[in-house]
Amino acid sequence: MTNSFPNYHNPAVRLNKTATPPMQQLKTGNNVPFEIQTINWMRENKWKDDLVPQRHNYYMIIWVKEGSGTHLIDLEKFEITNKTIYCLRPGQIHLFRPTEDTDGYVISFNSEFLCLHENNFDLLLNTGLFNTFSHSPAFSVHEEMERELDHAALKMKQEFDNMFLLRSEILRVFLKIFLIHLTRQYENLSYKTTQSKNVELAKKFHSLLEKNFTKKKMVTDYAEELIVTPNYLNEIVKKVSGFPASHHIQQRIVLEAKRQAVYADLSMKEIAYDLGFDDIAHFSKFFKNVSGRSYTSFKKEISGQLAY
């Protein structure tokens, strides 16, 4: 996934200069970019030294079956509750702090692992589960779906902990099953069937936006690549998500600006330049128009609110 994020593995701009740098890529002994562990194992072995939020470059699903604690995701703090799933996409910043009695799973993977042999399977990743604009990253799991998810998770854990023949293939199959069950709960399938072309266009737009938001800031840029008119793109994206394409472009830029303002040791000028603004005054005006407050006011208001 390409972007112009600051290099957080460079000590000069890391989220916290004394913090442990986030893991570059998940690898098992078999060089498979996939991992499934219990929440307790992660808390004891990987999260115990995480004192500040981390930005990861892979997808992560945290399934809390039972437990409590806090979960900071970008600029929002969640209270951890039973039967809750958090879907995080590459680039998001989070800090998960469960209590000792919290039970559940943490599944981490990259798109290459899931889509290794199927070029079009990235559509599953864009169904909405990992869309940072369409919904909260946390949602509850109903009892019937919980049984299906538990079966898939147990099979994944069994395969992950052993070196069986065709281990990667089995892991990939059960990961797809797990994601499909999540998607069935999250999505209204009848709506998708009748609006499949609209949904498909919206998915393509969001995929392009995630890759290009620092360079392309006009609806026209994305409409040209998708071979539609700007008005049509705005209309279709609004039908699917409730907001036009222009809104998503603006919100994605401001989200990244807020992330860097809170978590990176960068000045407003550096953030503006990193997000493709040559004029700091233009960036300041853009930030205020989109967020409803000035950059300086945002920095003051957010101070202390996300204490972790």
Side-chain angles (χ1 to χ4, degrees):
M1 180 177 179
T2 60
N3 54 48
S4 59
F5 295 153
N7 179 8
Y8 288 103
H9 305 289
N10 181 335
V13 293
R14 193 174 298 159
L15 300 182
N16 183 302
K17 295 179 182 179
T18 61
T20 303
M23 192 162 33
Q24 282 283 336
Q25 177 142 328
L26 293 168
K27 294 277 188 178
T28 69
N30 202 29
N31 291 325
V32 176
F34 170 91
E35 183 175 39
I36 178 171
Q37 301 287 0
T38 64
I39 289 177
N40 185 58
W41 188 95
M42 292 291 287
R43 185 178 59 81
E44 291 292 329
N45 294 276
K46 288 191 175 178
W47 291 338
K48 62 180 179 179
D49 296 323
D50 287 352
L51 303 178
V52 297
Q54 304 289 320
R55 185 196 293 265
H56 300 299
N57 60 357
Y58 43 83
Y59 291 90
M60 178 180 286
I61 298 172
I62 302 177
W63 177 20
V64 178
K65 301 173 75 174
E66 290 185 288
S68 58
T70 60
H71 193 183
L72 179 67
I73 304 176
D74 285 327
L75 306 172
E76 189 171 0
K77 184 180 287 186
F78 298 86
E79 293 297 324
I80 297 172
T81 57
N82 296 344
K83 298 183 178 181
T84 302
I85 281 186
Y86 303 89
C87 295
L88 305 173
R89 66 180 299 141
Q92 284 192 277
I93 297 171
H94 85 118
L95 180 64
F96 189 73
R97 307 195 75 172
T99 55
E100 292 185 7
D101 60 346
T102 300
D103 178 41
Y105 292 100
V106 179
I107 304 169
S108 306
F109 61 96
N110 65 20
S111 57
E112 288 76 16
F113 174 77
L114 186 62
C115 311
L116 189 61
H117 301 301
E118 300 174 55
N119 295 330
N120 63 346
F121 206 80
D122 63 330
L123 296 178
L124 183 57
L125 297 179
N126 294 314
T127 54
L129 288 174
F130 299 95
N131 191 321
T132 56
F133 304 119
S134 64
H135 68 98
S136 166
F139 61 95
S140 300
V141 176
H142 59 66
E143 187 174 345
E144 182 180 351
M145 186 61 65
E146 186 177 17
R147 291 195 295 269
E148 301 292 345
L149 295 178
D150 199 40
H151 174 72
L154 286 171
K155 296 297 290 185
M156 280 191 284
K157 191 69 171 70
Q158 180 183 15
E159 289 292 330
F160 183 76
D161 290 341
N162 295 280
M163 299 299 293
F164 295 138
L165 181 66
L166 299 177
R167 172 174 178 256
S168 298
E169 297 303 318
I170 295 294
L171 287 171
R172 189 174 295 111
V173 167
F174 279 105
L175 174 58
K176 290 179 183 179
I177 291 172
F178 191 94
L179 289 172
I180 288 170
H181 282 306
L182 282 185
T183 303
R184 283 178 175 176
Q185 176 169 329
Y186 171 72
E187 301 253 356
N188 184 323
L189 295 182
S190 62
Y191 175 81
K192 282 190 65 182
T193 300
T194 58
Q195 301 290 333
S196 59
K197 289 185 179 180
N198 292 350
V199 172
E200 187 63 30
L201 180 62
K203 290 176 185 176
K204 290 179 180 179
F205 163 71
H206 279 292
S207 179
L208 288 174
L209 174 61
E210 194 62 31
K211 296 175 183 177
N212 301 292
F213 69 90
T214 62
K215 302 182 291 291
K216 298 180 178 181
K217 298 178 171 60
M218 304 296 293
V219 176
T220 304
D221 298 325
Y222 298 94
E224 288 179 355
E225 192 157 353
L226 294 169
I227 318 178
V228 296
T229 67
N231 287 341
Y232 182 77
L233 182 59
N234 266 327
E235 179 185 347
I236 296 304
V237 173
K238 185 174 182 179
K239 283 183 178 179
V240 174
S241 69
F243 297 97
S246 56
H247 172 85
H248 290 286
I249 295 170
Q250 294 168 355
Q251 292 298 319
R252 183 62 185 91
I253 296 168
V254 167
L255 171 61
E256 188 61 29
K258 288 180 177 179
R259 284 175 175 173
Q260 295 189 21
V262 174
Y263 299 117
D265 187 19
L266 299 173
S267 67
M268 183 170 72
K269 183 178 180 180
E270 290 173 314
I271 294 173
Y273 179 78
D274 187 64
L275 295 177
F277 292 85
D278 295 328
D279 183 356
I280 190 172
H282 181 203
F283 169 76
S284 179
K285 183 178 180 180
F286 176 86
F287 187 96
K288 184 174 183 179
N289 288 340
V290 175
S291 68
R293 51 189 164 175
S294 69
Y295 177 88
T296 303
S297 296
F298 167 76
K299 287 278 287 184
K300 289 181 179 179
E301 291 173 17
I302 204 69
S303 178
Q305 291 184 19
L306 298 178
Y308 40 79

